[in-house]
Amino acid sequence: MRCVIARFPFELTKNGVLETMKGVRPEPVTGDFVIIGRREYPAMQVGAVITRQDRRDFSAHEVVRAMTRLGFTCRTRPAATDGPVQQASALLGTSTTV
């Protein structure tokens, strides 16, 4: 399937992406991610590996859109939220360990 990432057209297939990502160790996920096999890869890492471009050249949204069209599951990891005790401690400028 033809996908455009960073204004460049790529002919991507699901099997091609699986083969390219084989043996690649996933980086820690903090935002958008793609599930490839049983692993969760950050969208920017997937884009950099399959396009061989610098991560500054494309957005995570472009990669998520392309991977979704290929049939991969894409999600967004929500930011960790502090509990009420941690929020109050932050406002007071003190640290607490619960």
Side-chain angles (χ1 to χ4, degrees):
M1 177 173 58
R2 184 180 174 139
C3 300
V4 176
I5 299 174
R7 297 182 310 233
F8 291 100
F10 293 94
E11 278 296 325
L12 300 175
T13 63
K14 188 168 186 173
N15 288 334
V17 172
L18 288 169
E19 189 65 33
T20 302
M21 295 304 292
K22 188 184 293 185
V24 176
R25 181 168 287 197
E27 297 171 357
V29 175
T30 57
D32 294 329
F33 64 93
V34 182
I35 299 173
I36 299 176
R38 291 181 282 164
R39 296 182 171 185
E40 296 176 352
Y41 292 90
M44 295 300 283
Q45 180 184 12
V46 173
V49 171
I50 64 173
T51 66
R52 296 186 198 106
Q53 292 182 335
D54 191 284
R55 295 177 190 208
R56 295 173 290 182
D57 294 338
F58 55 87
S59 68
H61 179 71
E62 290 177 293
V63 177
V64 167
R65 184 176 59 231
M67 295 299 107
T68 302
R69 287 181 57 202
L70 286 173
F72 291 102
T73 302
C74 301
R75 301 253 191 272
T76 300
R77 173 133 316 136
T81 58
D82 291 334
V85 173
Q86 288 83 6
Q87 290 175 353
S89 296
L91 290 173
L92 294 172
T94 60
S95 65
T96 62
T97 56
V98 177

